[in-house]
Amino acid sequence: MAIYHPNEQPAPTYDAHTHLNDDALYFDVPAYLGRAHEFQVLEMNVVGYNREGNRRAIELAENNEGIAAVVGFQPEDTPDFDEQAKQELEEQVQNPVVVAVGEAGLDYHWDTDRAVQKAAFQAQIDLAKKMDLPIVIHNREAFDDVYRMLKTAGIQKAVIHSFSGTPEQAKAWADLGYYVSFSGVATFKKAEEVREAAKVVPIDQLLVETDAPYLAPTPFRGKTNEPGWTKYVVDSLAETLGMDRDHLAAQTVENAHRAFLNHD
Ligand SMILES: [Zn+2]
């Protein structure tokens, strides 16, 4: 008779933000999904960022168990968010496999026109609100403007993707009732501030993600990231929070279900 060792296989995890729709992963989806399942990453959101990315996200969600789609325009792609693109997005969010709008937000690291970014972000805020869907937020070096736009719109359901700010900012998001999602950034040696930030977020507002193919966690930093490596984000975050890793994994799955799938 086989003896069951509870720690042999990690508890299932939900990758709240991954880009299997990115060229780096898209042409090998079955392999990446197989590996994700080996790591017990059984559910994930494939997140769009432009028209092609959004179409692929929906196609992957329609054809694979455990995948949900998020559709939107990331700041860098907002110059392409014309009237046609807007119309297509408005149709896509009606699809039942779509669980959120995004990723959307502001990025002041690159030099995409800020007025263009803001107009596209506002349109997506309005769409999320109209559809009563959560919005997945991309914020880079733009906290004040992102915070003001979300708060002014009265947005109540939002996910701060790949959080990389200060503990004060994490608390500000959490106080609005938003989910704060931690990626491989939280595993980087120099990211002490991000780990401190994780400690101020209530446990039922924490999510984990890879943002694959980007931001591979330690010990794979610099490599092509993949959804299965959510496991390493959970391991690291559990250590930061002094929690049992399987307990944290289960909690983040429950949070993701509540955030995206309307499970209580
Ligand atoms: Zn992303």
Side-chain angles (χ1 to χ4, degrees):
M1 196 178 82
I3 296 165
Y4 173 60
H5 297 283
N7 291 325
E8 270 183 1
Q9 215 179 21
T13 310
Y14 192 124
D15 184 351
H17 191 114
T18 192
H19 299 292
L20 280 180
N21 49 350
D22 184 289
D23 276 354
L25 306 175
Y26 181 68
F27 302 105
D28 226 354
V29 164
Y32 286 113
L33 277 183
R35 287 158 62 123
H37 291 170
E38 280 172 31
F39 282 109
Q40 288 288 97
V41 179
L42 305 182
E43 295 173 281
M44 63 190 74
N45 290 346
V46 172
V47 180
Y49 36 84
N50 61 23
R51 292 182 88 164
E52 180 67 10
N54 292 337
R55 287 175 193 149
R56 287 179 178 180
I58 287 174
E59 173 230 307
L60 290 169
E62 283 177 337
N63 293 308
N64 294 282
E65 196 72 36
I67 294 185
V70 176
V71 290
F73 268 70
Q74 66 178 0
E76 224 180 296
D77 282 295
T78 52
D80 299 326
F81 191 63
D82 54 19
E83 201 44 49
Q84 251 189 331
K86 192 177 167 203
Q87 255 177 38
E88 186 179 11
L89 187 65
E90 284 170 356
E91 280 159 31
Q92 285 169 327
V93 294
Q94 319 267 350
N95 188 316
V97 301
V98 171
V99 297
V101 172
E103 53 184 282
L106 301 173
D107 192 324
Y108 293 168
H109 185 77
W110 307 110
D111 46 16
T112 307
D113 187 290
R114 292 185 184 184
V116 172
Q117 291 192 42
K118 281 183 184 165
F121 184 32
Q122 187 63 50
Q124 293 178 86
I125 288 173
D126 295 343
L127 182 60
K129 214 174 154 182
K130 184 177 125 201
M131 297 300 297
D132 194 28
L133 285 170
I135 183 164
V136 173
I137 299 301
H138 174 122
N139 161 41
R140 193 168 182 197
E141 297 168 22
F143 175 85
D144 291 344
D145 284 350
V146 172
Y147 184 88
R148 184 178 44 73
M149 287 176 72
L150 290 170
K151 206 177 169 192
T152 304
I155 289 291
Q156 295 185 355
K157 294 195 273 187
V159 174
I160 307 303
H161 138 64
S162 189
F163 179 83
S164 63
T166 65
E168 292 71 26
Q169 291 172 349
K171 188 173 183 311
W173 295 131
D175 286 348
L176 290 179
Y178 296 175
Y179 291 89
V180 184
S181 184
F182 289 87
S183 67
V185 170
T187 71
F188 298 164
K189 211 173 165 194
K190 283 189 178 156
E192 199 48 53
E193 192 174 60
V194 174
R195 283 187 286 280
E196 286 308 309
K199 296 178 188 168
V200 308
V201 178
I203 185 81
D204 61 352
Q205 287 170 259
L206 281 174
L207 295 172
V208 286
E209 63 167 81
T210 55
D211 200 24
Y214 313 104
L215 303 178
T218 305
F220 304 113
R221 194 164 180 187
K223 296 217 167 83
T224 300
N225 198 2
E226 56 179 89
W229 293 352
T230 311
K231 180 201 175 288
Y232 298 96
V233 178
V234 174
D235 288 350
S236 165
L237 197 58
E239 199 183 313
T240 298
L241 300 176
M243 274 180 80
D244 175 70
R245 68 93 47 208
D246 282 356
H247 178 199
L248 178 63
Q251 179 70 53
T252 54
V253 169
E254 193 184 313
N255 296 346
H257 286 171
R258 193 188 322 110
F260 299 114
L261 309 177
N262 291 316
H263 294 186
D264 286 320

